Amino acid sequence: MSEKITFIGFGEAASAIVSGWGPSRHEVFTYDIKLDDPSTRGEIVDRCSKFGVWPCDTPQEALQDADLVLSTVTADQATEAARAASPFLKAGQVWLDLNSCAPSSKVKSAGLIEAAGGQYVDVAVMAPVYPKLNRVPLLVAGPHADEIAPRLAGLPMSPRVVPGDIGAASSIKMIRSIMVKGLEALTAECTLAAVAAGVQDEVFASLLKSHPGTDWPAQTFYNFERSMVHGARRAAEMEEVARTLQDLGLPSDMVTSTVKWQRKLAAADVPAPENARQINPETIAHALLPHIRSS
C-alpha cells in the first residue's frame, strides 16, 4: 500500500532507504536544513532528483498530509528537528525517530511531538544502511510500536518491537555502540602505533593468534573506512552514548576517548580507502600518521 512519507533530513540513511523501495513505490517528500543554504542546496536537490524525492523549502510544506515522518538528521540535531517540526504536525501523524540518541534525548523529543498531537516512535537502526538499504534491521519501542511496526514492514522495512517505553530501543543501540565504535577507535590507536614503531607485522600476527576468528587486516581496513568517512557523525552519536551512561550514573571515559578518535580520523585530510584488496591497513596508517601527529 502506498504511503505519503516525509523524511526530515535527507542524508545517507534516508537516501539508502528510499533507493531500496525503488521509484514510484511511495510518494516521498523531504525537508533538509541544507536546503536553506545556497552553498549546500544543490547537493540536496540533486540527491532528491536521483531518488525521485520532492524537496520542500519548509518543514510545514514537507509535513503536510504525510502519513509517516522519518527523522534522519544528525544525533545532535534530533531534538531540534522535533522542536522545529512540532508546530506543523497534525493529530495522529507518526514521527519515527531513527536518530542515534540517548534515551533521555528521545524522551525530550517525544514530549515535543506528543504535545503537538503526533505519535512518537523510538527507532534504532542496528546496522549500516549499506548494503541492506530499506531492509536494515530496526528496533522500535514505545506505546505506538506494536501498531506502527506492521506499517513499517509493509513499506517494506525490517522492524522488530522491543518491550519498554520510549528509549528502550535507543538504550540497546547506544550501549552496543560503546563496543562497535570503541573498537574502531582502538583499531586506529593500535594500528597507527604499530606502524609508527615498525612492528605492525608482529602485532597483527599476535592478534591473529589471540583471536583466530578475526581477519585483522580486513577488519582494520573496514574500521578505518567507517571512521574516515563517517567519523563526524559517529562522534556526535558517541556524545549521546556518553549522555546515556551519565544518565545511568556510570563513567564514560572510554566513550569520551572514542569521540576524540572519531573526530581526529574524520578531520584528517586523507581520502577514505575504497577497496580492501588494493589498499592494506599499513598504507592507510602511513597516510594518516602525519595528520594524527599534528592534531
Side-chain angles (χ1 to χ4, degrees), residues 34-276:
K34 288 185 176 182
L35 291 166
D36 298 340
D37 185 341
S39 67
T40 54
R41 181 179 177 86
E43 169 195 343
I44 302 300
V45 171
D46 289 348
R47 189 177 299 149
C48 288
S49 177
K50 178 180 179 180
F51 294 109
V53 173
W54 293 91
C56 300
D57 290 330
T58 65
Q60 183 176 13
E61 180 186 353
L63 292 168
Q64 187 173 1
D65 300 325
D67 297 305
L68 299 172
V69 182
L70 284 72
S71 178
T72 51
V73 297
T74 55
D76 57 336
Q77 292 298 309
T79 300
E80 184 54 39
R83 181 177 290 108
S86 59
F88 311 114
L89 285 173
K90 304 297 183 186
Q93 281 186 300
V94 178
W95 183 275
L96 298 146
D97 191 339
L98 278 72
N99 302 298
S100 298
C101 297
S104 59
S105 297
K106 293 216 168 180
V107 168
K108 187 180 296 185
S109 295
L112 295 165
I113 298 302
E114 297 277 343
Q119 297 181 334
Y120 181 96
V121 183
D122 173 18
V123 184
V125 180
M126 297 304 293
V129 289
Y130 290 100
K132 294 181 183 294
L133 306 177
N134 58 309
R135 290 297 194 175
V136 65
L138 306 175
L139 301 181
V140 295
H144 308 292
D146 287 321
E147 173 190 351
I148 298 305
R151 291 176 65 181
L152 293 177
L155 290 177
M157 298 180 81
S158 298
R160 179 169 69 86
V161 176
V162 294
D165 296 328
I166 290 164
S170 179
S171 290
I172 297 168
K173 165 81 171 180
M174 293 290 97
I175 294 169
R176 174 182 176 272
S177 288
I178 298 171
M179 185 66 70
V180 174
K181 276 72 174 183
L183 283 174
E184 293 171 358
L186 282 171
T187 295
E189 189 164 297
C190 177
T191 304
L192 290 168
V195 171
V199 295
Q200 63 273 12
D201 291 342
E202 289 288 343
V203 167
F204 277 115
S206 178
L207 285 171
L208 185 59
K209 288 181 181 178
S210 301
H211 303 276
T214 301
D215 182 341
W216 283 102
Q219 188 63 48
T220 298
F221 171 89
Y222 178 80
N223 287 349
F224 266 129
E225 188 273 340
R226 292 282 88 190
S227 295
M228 292 167 73
V229 175
H230 305 292
R233 190 174 69 209
R234 281 162 135 66
E237 176 184 329
M238 294 308 288
E239 287 179 330
E240 291 291 317
V241 173
R243 181 174 300 172
T244 301
L245 294 178
Q246 290 158 13
D247 290 342
L248 292 169
L250 294 171
S252 57
D253 302 35
M254 295 291 290
V255 171
T256 301
S257 295
T258 298
V259 170
K260 293 177 181 178
W261 265 112
Q262 293 285 354
R263 286 215 172 98
K264 285 178 185 289
L265 293 167
D269 187 21
V270 175
E274 296 181 358
N275 191 321

